[in-house]
Amino acid sequence: MNTFSVYRPRRLRANENLRRLVRETTLTVADLIYPMFVVHGRNVATEISSMPGCYHYSVDNLVTAAKELASLGIPGTILFGIPAEKDALGSEAYADDGIIQQAVRAIKDAVPTLLVITDVCLCEYTEHGHCGIVEEGDVQNDRTVELLVKESLSHARAGADVIAPSDMMDGRVGAIRKALDGNGYSHIPIMAYSAKYASAFYGPFREAAESAPQFGDRRSYQMDAANAEEAIREVALDIEEGADILMVKPALAYLDVIYRVKTTFQVPVAAYNVSGEYAMIKAAAQNGWIDEQRVALEALTSIKRAGADMILTYFAKSFSVFREAFG
C-alpha cells in the first residue's frame, strides 16, 4: 500500500536547476549596500582588526574602493567618517570641509553612478562618543536635532544621494526633511534608521568608527531589544515625518521586526547586517568551524526572505564570489 501522498516535495529538489526554478527568494548583488570608513590622510588602507577584510580608507583609497564596488555591480555605499579631532559638539560632522563631505565629493567626481549614502549622527565626532549634545550626563534631544539638520544639509551640499540619520533622536526625520525641502534638496531621499536597537552586536563597529561611549550607554535613545510593537510605532512616526526608506538594525536578531515592518507598511525596507554579525561569521570561519561562504549566503538570504528590500552588509564585496561558488 502506498503510504505517501501524491505530492512529494523532493521531486523539486532533485537537482540544482529545479531548485533554482522554484526558489522563492532571490538575492542578488543589486540588493546590497557596502559600508565604508573614511579617515584623514593619504594612502591609508588599514585593516580593522575585529572586521577582517574591512578597512579605514583615506579619501584617495576610498575612491579606488568605490570604483571596485561599481565594477562588482554593487549599487551603493554608506559612508562613516572618523574626524581629525573630536569635540563636545561633534563640529566636524557638519563642517563643509569635514571628512565625509570630502569623501562624498571625491566619489561623486570619480564614480558618479555609485549611490552615496551618508550616515548622519554625531557619535563618531563627539569626544564623549554619544550621538548628541550631552548635558549633565543626558543627551539633549532637540538641540541635537538642530546639529543633525546642519550635518544633513552639509552632506547634501557635498553631493550625497541619500541621507541616513542613525541617531534615534525624536523628531529628527521631520526636521531634516523640512530643511532639505526648504534648501532645494527635496529630491534627496531619507533612509531613516527607524528601528535601531541598543544592541551588543555593534562592538566591532565602535572600534571601526572610534565611537564607543566614554560613559554610560545608549539605551536612553536606542530601542530595547525586547520590543517589537515599539518598532512599529517608530516606523510609523518616521513615515509620517517624511522618511522614504525605513531601516531595521541589527538584522539577524530582528528578522521578526523586518517582517512586521514590511507587511504592516509595504514601504522600502533596509536592514543592516551589522559588524558583530559579520565578525562572528568571519571568526568562526577562520577557526574552521563553519563554511563562511555558505553561512554568509544563508544569513543574507534570511534577511531578504524576512522582507528587506536592501541589505547593508560588509559581505557585499564577497557576494559575487560566494554566489558564483554555489549557483
Side-chain angles (χ1 to χ4, degrees):
M1 182 177 177
N2 187 353
T3 60
F4 291 102
S5 66
V6 173
Y7 174 56
R8 292 195 178 199
R10 285 190 59 192
R11 291 187 186 120
L12 299 181
R13 302 173 191 157
N15 60 64
E16 179 58 23
N17 282 333
L18 275 172
R19 291 191 292 271
R20 290 173 64 186
L21 284 169
V22 300
R23 189 163 290 151
E24 298 172 18
T25 303
T26 301
L27 180 70
T28 74
V29 70
D31 300 317
L32 307 180
I33 296 165
Y34 186 64
M36 294 199 292
F37 301 90
V38 58
V39 299
H40 288 275
R42 285 197 59 80
N43 198 31
V44 177
T46 305
E47 190 169 30
I48 299 162
S49 63
S50 58
M51 298 171 65
C54 298
Y55 295 82
H56 286 132
Y57 291 115
S58 52
V59 171
D60 53 328
N61 282 333
L62 185 79
V63 168
T64 301
K67 291 177 179 177
E68 181 187 11
L69 298 185
S71 72
L72 292 171
I74 295 168
T77 181
I78 184 167
L79 299 180
F80 299 91
I82 294 87
E85 295 183 4
K86 299 172 184 271
D87 58 38
L89 300 180
S91 57
E92 190 176 319
Y94 40 89
D96 282 341
D97 61 350
I99 188 62
I100 286 294
Q101 292 80 353
Q102 294 179 41
V104 172
R105 287 191 290 267
I107 291 176
K108 295 309 292 184
D109 283 345
V111 199
T113 58
L114 186 71
L115 193 72
V116 176
I117 305 165
T118 56
D119 178 80
V120 171
C121 195
L122 299 180
C123 60
E124 298 107 302
Y125 303 91
T126 55
E127 58 196 13
H128 46 70
H130 280 283
C131 297
I133 298 172
V134 173
E135 289 183 359
E136 299 180 357
D138 185 51
V139 175
Q140 303 298 300
N141 191 97
D142 294 0
R143 290 182 61 200
T144 297
V145 169
E146 292 176 4
L147 296 186
L148 297 171
V149 167
K150 291 179 64 176
E151 183 178 3
S152 298
L153 287 173
S154 73
H155 290 182
R157 286 192 294 271
D161 296 298
V162 181
I163 301 297
S166 64
D167 54 282
M168 290 299 286
M169 297 297 114
D170 293 341
R172 92 280 204 206
V173 171
I176 291 170
R177 182 74 274 160
K178 181 178 179 181
L180 290 174
D181 291 354
N183 286 273
Y185 301 111
S186 60
H187 62 286
I188 295 182
I190 294 175
M191 174 190 283
Y193 288 63
S194 298
K196 181 179 180 181
Y197 286 85
S199 173
F201 286 98
Y202 302 149
F205 176 91
R206 290 178 180 170
E207 177 200 343
E210 300 177 5
S211 63
Q214 299 303 300
F215 59 88
D217 55 44
R218 295 176 177 156
R219 287 183 290 180
S220 72
Y221 45 99
Q222 294 178 356
M223 287 179 53
D224 191 308
N227 295 353
E229 293 293 341
E230 183 185 4
I232 300 303
R233 293 195 295 273
E234 282 275 13
V235 169
L237 284 171
D238 285 354
I239 292 172
E240 184 178 348
E241 292 180 20
D244 302 281
I245 302 167
L246 293 307
M247 189 192 297
V248 177
K249 179 183 179 182
L252 291 176
Y254 300 89
L255 295 175
D256 62 314
V257 177
I258 296 170
Y259 176 79
R260 290 183 65 175
V261 169
K262 186 62 179 180
T263 56
T264 301
F265 298 104
Q266 292 295 309
V267 295
V269 175
Y272 203 138
N273 178 218
V274 298
S275 60
E277 297 167 343
Y278 172 84
M280 289 193 301
I281 292 174
K282 296 292 285 190
Q286 288 175 354
N287 279 283
W289 298 335
I290 61 172
D291 182 321
E292 178 184 336
Q293 295 183 347
R294 287 189 178 276
V295 171
L297 277 176
E298 188 173 339
L300 294 174
T301 300
S302 75
I303 298 167
K304 181 75 182 293
R305 189 180 65 242
D309 299 288
M310 60 202 79
I311 303 171
L312 291 74
T313 178
Y314 304 97
F315 284 115
K317 287 203 300 182
S318 305
F319 176 80
S320 58
V321 176
F322 294 176
R323 185 80 279 170
E324 185 177 343
F326 300 110

